[in-house]
Amino acid sequence: MQSTSASDTPFPRNRWSVRALIVDDDAPIRELLCGYLARFNIEAVGVDDGQAMRLALAEERFDVVVLDLMLPGEDGLSLCRWLRAESDIPILMLTARCEPADRIIGLELGADDYMAKPFEPRELVARIQTILRRVRDDHDTPRTDSRSSIRFDAWRLDGVLRQLQSPEGLVVPLSNAEFRLLWVFLERPRRVLSREQLLDAARGRSIEAFDRSIDLLVSRLRQKLGDDPRSPRLINHPSGNLLYPKGP
């Protein structure tokens, strides 16, 4: 397994404001991205498969994972599923395939953004910065709601720890977008919310988003809440709009 650092010359750790893990089996692409990201104060470490990714995450701290879809052994979708189950680290997926289904599946599994190859490295920088700015804003901005947690239908959403707890007391992992969307629903019980409102809350306007992404987020939330889409109790979908009907 090969690993590529941002530079052969050691720098003080405080030189870097962001650390990115690049998971791609194409060595020239890894080297290109690691070198290019360093120009924007992003320290990048490159690995070529899922085993190396897990080892790197266990040994070091990263702010974002840039994950290729087509990998030897475990593919990017499998690794995305594993990452989302283990942590809320932002995930940006890359793929040489342009099928819409790939993007949809990646978003369903919890990826925060998606880019098709080939792409301009500067766009990758912009998307990484956008994802991290949104995550930091979530953590830094005090909530207008004075409650640190909200209880609903035997579930509990902790706004400080950013955790969803099931009626059995188990922690259910949520992506950043899933957490934001669920909090929006809970802050506005029994209100009809448009896709545009939910898109602003869940992903922000700076990402190339589309209406279907909100449907995918809602679908993921329903699965995690055990809410049957054929007869939903928690998240309804009347007349093309989204509604969270039950109060906390």
Side-chain angles (χ1 to χ4, degrees):
M1 292 177 291
Q2 301 178 11
S3 176
T4 306
S5 296
S7 173
D8 294 331
T9 304
F11 292 98
R13 181 62 69 191
N14 60 9
R15 177 186 189 275
W16 309 104
S17 62
V18 173
R19 302 195 74 229
L21 180 61
I22 311 295
V23 187
D24 195 310
D25 63 329
D26 189 319
I29 288 181
R30 291 201 310 272
E31 293 172 3
L32 170 67
L33 293 181
C34 287
Y36 190 85
L37 292 175
R39 295 166 53 185
F40 295 86
N41 207 30
I42 300 174
E43 181 185 20
V45 173
V47 297
D48 62 357
D49 63 13
Q51 182 179 351
M53 181 195 78
R54 288 186 174 91
L55 181 61
L57 290 170
E59 293 181 344
E60 302 182 65
R61 179 196 63 79
F62 294 95
D63 300 293
V64 61
V65 174
V66 179
L67 179 62
D68 189 37
L69 178 65
M70 303 298 292
L71 291 170
E74 289 183 272
D75 65 15
L77 294 178
S78 175
L79 294 174
C80 179
R81 183 185 295 109
W82 179 85
L83 278 169
R84 189 51 65 230
E86 294 294 321
S87 76
D88 62 354
I89 188 170
I91 303 168
L92 195 162
M93 296 203 71
L94 305 176
T95 181
R97 299 195 315 214
C98 298
E99 295 296 328
D102 292 335
R103 177 170 62 173
I104 291 171
I105 293 172
L107 293 172
E108 283 179 333
L109 294 176
D112 293 87
D113 200 2
Y114 180 103
M115 287 184 65
K117 295 179 178 179
F119 56 85
E120 289 293 331
R122 187 64 184 87
E123 182 182 359
L124 176 64
V125 173
R127 288 180 181 249
I128 288 175
Q129 292 171 338
T130 297
I131 291 172
L132 295 180
R133 183 166 54 249
R134 193 169 61 245
V135 171
R136 288 168 180 167
D137 287 347
D138 283 347
H139 285 284
D140 294 343
T141 303
R143 296 196 176 278
T144 56
D145 194 316
S146 60
R147 294 170 293 179
S148 61
S149 65
I150 300 179
R151 295 184 179 275
F152 63 102
D153 201 46
W155 292 78
R156 177 174 176 266
L157 184 64
D158 191 313
V160 176
L161 298 178
R162 303 172 66 82
Q163 290 181 343
L164 176 63
Q165 190 175 83
S166 74
E168 296 75 28
L170 301 175
V171 173
V172 179
L174 293 177
S175 69
N176 291 308
E178 290 167 351
F179 172 83
R180 287 191 297 270
L181 185 62
L182 182 54
W183 192 277
V184 168
F185 281 143
L186 292 171
E187 285 185 318
R188 300 164 176 80
R190 303 182 184 279
R191 285 180 55 186
V192 175
L193 301 174
S194 69
R195 283 185 172 83
E196 184 176 8
Q197 288 174 306
L198 296 176
L199 193 61
D200 287 344
R203 292 194 177 278
R205 291 184 176 276
S206 50
I207 278 187
E208 179 184 339
F210 52 101
D211 282 355
R212 181 73 190 280
S213 64
I214 288 298
D215 292 336
L216 296 174
L217 280 172
V218 171
S219 176
R220 276 159 38 193
L221 279 177
R222 279 181 174 150
Q223 290 177 6
K224 293 183 177 182
L225 293 168
D227 201 24
D228 186 352
R230 293 170 298 182
S231 181
R233 298 183 306 107
L234 300 177
I235 303 177
N236 284 347
H237 192 290
S239 303
N241 291 319
L242 300 168
L243 171 68
Y244 185 85
K246 284 180 173 290

